[in-house]
Amino acid sequence: MPVLDQSVLCHINADISGMKVPWLYVGMVFSAFCWHIEDHWSYSINYLHWGEPKTWYGVPSLAAEQLEEVMKRLTPELFDSQPDLLHQLVTLMNPNTLMSHGIPVVRTNQCAGEFVITFPRAYHSGFNQGYNFAEAVNFCTADWLPTGRQCIEHYRRLRRYCVFSHEELICKMAAFPEKLDLNLAVAVHKEMFIMVQEERRLRKALLEKGITEAEREAFELLPDDERQCIKCKTTCFLSALACYDCPDGLVCLSHINDLCKCSSSRQYLRYRYTLDELPAMLHKLKVRAESFDNWANKVRVALEVEDGQKRSFEELRALESEARERRFPNNELLQRLRNCLNEAEACVSQVLGLISGQEARIETPQLTLTELRVLLEQMGSLPCAMHHIGDVKDVLEQVEAYQIEAREALTLLPPSVGLLRSLLERGQQLGVRVPEAHQLQQQVEQAQWLDEVKQALAPSGQRGSLVIMQGLLVTGAKVASSPSVDKARAELQELLTIAKRWEEKAHFCLEARQKHPPATLEAIIREAENIPVHLPNIQALKDALAKAQAWIADVDEIQNGDHYPCLDDLEGLVAIGRDLPVGLEELRQLELQVLTAHSWREKASKTFLKKNSCYTLLEVLCPCVNAGSDSSKRSRWIGKELGLYRSDTELLGLTAQDLRDPGSLIVAFKEGEQKEKEGILHLRRTNSAKSRPLASSTTSATSICVCGQVPAGVGTLQCDLCQDWFHGQCVSAPRLLSSSRPSPTSSPLLAWWEWDTKFLCPLCMRSRRPRLETILALLVALQRLPVRLPEGEALQCLTERAIVWQGRARQALASEDVTALLGQLGELRQQLQSEPRGKEAPAYPSVPASHLLREGSGKDMHKQVPGLLPNVDGVTSHEKVVPLQRSAGEA
């Protein structure tokens, strides 16, 4: 339904969560509420919380009297007995009946969550369509005040009790006019004026009746039933007539003749306010009601400048504060005043920011020239006087003068960078952005960028990196375009493209598997030198080429020296050459030389070193300078296993540098030979002093096997050099001189010299005993090597020593004593071979042959050359076996 003044019902959808209302209603199915109007003809609002809809019927207030007349005419007997029947909520009448008598009736369905508002003196009824829950409350607005006064008159005619005193309500509001809304103050002033005029008329009639006694009474402190008119039941507040003789009753001044039959002299007036106080209250209401008009006139004059004089900002602010303090309604005039104040404040803020930015040189948001002019026009058009308008005009004049200077500077060719920067700084201090300042900024940026590019590409200065060039190119993309800038950008882009191409080529040369020769790298570097950019890969390639050239110089220096280069030096050069990203022809030659030297050393190691030997080839080939030291061989062998043993090269006093000097090596070798001989003589005397038990006796208690236990029992072997005993299962047993001959068990006729009875323990025998021709072949191969090896020089010294020893051995074997002894051995051999096979072979003690030789000849010549025994052909064994075995305990 439309919401109109004097309408019947107002149907609203809303949410009143949290609202407190005094009346709660629970409706059942078809439960109804009768035709009625609200007390004092007030408004009412009803909210349906939940449940079935509620059906409403309403009649507008204009037809209220017509509805009352129709009901009185249709049910006269009810109204005769009870005139205020419609106020009792007991009368139902079909809406169709009312409509048939010309009464307008409206209808609506209120659902859950909806509001229904009834207007003053609008009759309404209805029923609930089902179980629901609702709540309602009455309320009054400013436009209700005249209606409320009419309702009191209506109640007086019907002699109906009032819910509250209408006069008291008006006076209470009039007592505090400053707390009233402006519209409410106007309405209260009108009601108060009518009420005061009526009170004056009634009190005048009272005087005319002759009643002169009066007393003040605070009616609001009395109960309602003690201040009701006995005639019309109206609640009195402003005044009432009472009698001294009839204290139980009083009447309102409209019924002064209905109080009692007592004399007028016994009656007196009871009043709340005097007639002088009421106009004062009315005046306050008038001031409050008319204050808006006065204020509005002031604002209108100020905003429209009707008197030709602009008000100050403070005056307009005072008018706005007055409206806020007096709670004037928010109308168009107040909004205009606020907009004017906001606009003035914004202008003042902009002006203060502009002036403070110029004075303090602080960075503030700058205005454009257009905004400055608009600000000046706006300040001139405001209805309030702006004190800073002169400052804005001064700034505008400075800006216009600056524009003229900037335009002249921009037309200069070639542009002066210093002048442009000076003007740009001045423009930044103005606090206003002008188009010429932007052009100055562009030209300064262009000049700075071109200067940076020029410095980066200067041939005499330090070359910039690719990152710097790329940064310049990125920065140049942000610089405003010009012929010079475009040309520099193109040149810089071309330069970067060429530089990247050479960088990729250098990177390929550095990372490629197939290395390029130095000539190719030199050509690349020579071409890249023309590029005025620092290229990391080209620099790395240049460094690699410099290292390669230094490496080649080192190779030439080593190969052109007085001696062949040492293997360690060549290996170091090969390792360095392999890491260089340069193709080096000398590297292949050096690798071949190193490979040949390693091959020769491996072959020599296989020739001399035993399997799983703990000695190096150089240690084996060097003399045993500590052969006769007090420390036992066993201690040295254990120390070797634990890593505590000092090598023979260290005992010779040879350093790494000495191993590179042939003279030092030979001198140390000769000195070592002398020390070895002295040690062997000392060791021989020590070994000779050891006990020599028979074969059937037990071993010496001082002997300890390599396993750490004392050897005892059958199966023990005695070393021919150190005379120590060992377990047969812990060491290698003696073997035949020739593997093709029969074993002792199959041929008992073989003599003892048919066996290799020279048993050497692991502590005494450090290496193999190669033949002389094998050694000579190694020396021949060594002569072909263009590389010096310490092992080769040690082998040469050892070979020379062996040949000298061989010559001395031949001389000894050619002597008469040795020749006679060899003849006796030959005859003994023939006797053994001629004996019958069935005869049992003679038993010989299980002792080394050296013992028999010592006992048979009484001479020690053969002891000096162990291993030289005659063979079956009468040829000495030194022709077949060369004593190149290195023994730690050789004697």
Side-chain angles (χ1 to χ4, degrees), residues 505-711:
K505 186 178 295 186
H507 179 74
F508 176 76
C509 293
L510 292 171
E511 301 294 335
R513 294 183 179 179
Q514 184 179 0
K515 299 179 180 180
H516 295 77
T520 304
L521 302 185
E522 289 178 356
I524 294 175
I525 294 173
R526 188 166 50 253
E527 291 293 335
E529 286 292 334
N530 299 325
I531 302 176
V533 181
H534 174 70
L535 305 176
N537 291 339
I538 293 295
Q539 184 62 38
L541 195 64
K542 188 185 298 184
D543 296 341
L545 182 60
K547 293 179 181 179
Q549 292 173 350
W551 183 87
I552 294 173
D554 293 341
V555 171
D556 294 339
E557 182 180 357
I558 290 176
Q559 291 183 347
N560 297 329
D562 297 335
H563 304 286
Y564 284 135
C566 294
L567 178 60
D568 294 342
D569 296 336
L570 294 185
E571 288 178 341
L573 288 174
V574 168
I576 295 174
R578 287 175 178 172
D579 293 338
L580 294 176
V582 184
L584 303 170
E585 296 181 358
E586 294 83 354
L587 179 61
R588 300 187 185 92
Q589 300 175 5
L590 293 182
E591 289 177 341
L592 181 59
Q593 293 177 8
V594 171
L595 182 61
T596 306
H598 283 192
S599 177
W600 183 90
R601 186 159 60 182
E602 291 177 2
K603 187 175 182 181
S605 298
K606 292 179 181 179
T607 303
F608 282 93
L609 297 182
K610 297 169 64 177
K611 187 177 182 181
N612 298 327
S613 175
C614 60
Y615 299 100
T616 63
L617 178 60
L618 187 58
E619 291 174 350
V620 168
L621 297 178
C622 288
C624 298
V625 296
N626 60 346
S629 63
D630 295 336
S631 58
S632 64
K633 293 173 292 183
R634 185 182 305 276
S635 300
R636 286 188 279 111
W637 183 79
I638 295 175
K640 183 70 177 180
E641 293 293 331
L642 298 177
L644 304 175
Y645 174 66
R646 295 178 62 194
S647 65
D648 291 337
T649 56
E650 294 177 356
L651 295 173
L652 289 174
L654 294 173
T655 61
Q657 187 64 30
D658 294 336
L659 293 177
R660 289 179 170 83
D661 186 9
S664 301
L665 186 61
I666 294 173
V667 171
F669 199 92
K670 295 300 181 182
E671 294 176 355
E673 288 181 7
Q674 186 64 30
K675 293 181 180 180
E676 183 184 43
K677 290 178 182 180
E678 296 174 358
I680 288 175
L681 290 176
H682 175 73
L683 187 60
R684 179 180 297 170
R685 289 190 296 269
T686 303
N687 293 338
S688 299
K690 291 182 180 179
S691 61
R692 291 176 291 179
L694 297 176
S696 60
S697 64
T698 60
T699 59
S700 175
T702 59
S703 298
I704 299 177
C705 184
V706 294
C707 64
Q709 303 295 329
V710 177

Side-chain angles (χ1 to χ4, degrees), residues 98 102 188 221 229 271 336 341 358 363 397 416 430 816 834:
L98 297 176
V188 171
L221 300 180
C229 178
Y271 66 93
R336 285 178 56 191
L341 290 174
Q358 285 184 331
E363 294 184 1
E397 292 176 358
S416 175
L430 289 175
E816 295 178 358
S834 63

Side-chain angles (χ1 to χ4, degrees), residues 24-39:
L24 304 178
Y25 301 96
V26 177
M28 306 300 291
V29 59
F30 298 135
S31 61
F33 51 97
C34 301
W35 288 102
H36 69 284
I37 55 179
E38 302 299 328
D39 293 335

Side-chain angles (χ1 to χ4, degrees), residues 2-10 43 60-62 118-120 122 141 143-144 147:
V3 180
L4 299 174
D5 190 15
Q6 304 300 324
S7 296
V8 185
L9 303 174
C10 179
Y43 290 88
S61 59
L62 296 177
T118 62
F119 286 83
T141 61
D143 61 346
W144 165 84
T147 304

Side-chain angles (χ1 to χ4, degrees), residues 280-300:
M281 296 174 60
L282 186 62
H283 177 72
K284 291 181 180 179
L285 281 175
K286 182 178 180 182
V287 171
R288 171 62 179 166
E290 295 178 353
S291 62
F292 176 77
D293 295 336
N294 297 331
W295 175 86
N297 291 331
K298 294 179 183 179
V299 173
R300 190 176 298 104

Side-chain angles (χ1 to χ4, degrees), residues 743-882:
S743 63
T745 56
S746 62
S747 179
L749 298 178
L750 292 179
W752 53 268
W753 57 79
E754 297 289 342
W755 292 82
D756 184 8
T757 56
K758 291 292 184 181
F759 167 68
L760 298 178
C761 67
L763 305 180
C764 294
M765 191 167 183
R766 301 194 305 172
S767 66
R768 302 178 186 272
R769 296 171 62 92
R771 293 180 179 276
L772 182 59
E773 55 269 20
T774 304
I775 304 304
L776 294 176
L778 285 174
L779 292 177
V780 171
L782 179 64
Q783 294 298 324
R784 298 192 187 99
L785 293 178
V787 182
R788 284 184 55 251
L789 290 89
E791 295 85 353
E793 295 171 354
L795 181 59
Q796 290 178 1
C797 295
L798 181 61
T799 304
E800 292 175 2
R801 182 182 178 190
I803 292 174
V804 172
W805 180 88
Q806 188 179 42
R808 292 171 58 197
R810 286 176 179 175
Q811 291 178 4
L813 291 174
S815 63
E816 295 178 358
D817 295 338
V818 177
T819 303
L821 180 59
L822 293 177
Q824 293 177 12
L825 290 177
E827 292 175 0
L828 181 59
R829 177 186 180 87
Q830 291 178 1
Q831 291 176 7
L832 292 174
Q833 290 180 352
S834 63
E835 290 181 358
R837 293 184 178 274
K839 188 179 293 187
E840 186 176 354
Y844 298 95
S846 178
V847 294
S850 59
H851 294 176
L852 297 177
L853 293 176
R854 292 192 203 100
E855 296 171 359
S857 63
K859 296 184 179 181
D860 296 334
M861 181 61 67
H862 63 282
K863 291 189 291 182
Q864 298 179 6
V865 288
L868 295 179
L869 297 178
N871 57 16
V872 294
D873 300 328
V875 182
T876 58
S877 62
H878 73 273
E879 296 176 355
K880 296 182 179 179
V881 180
V882 180

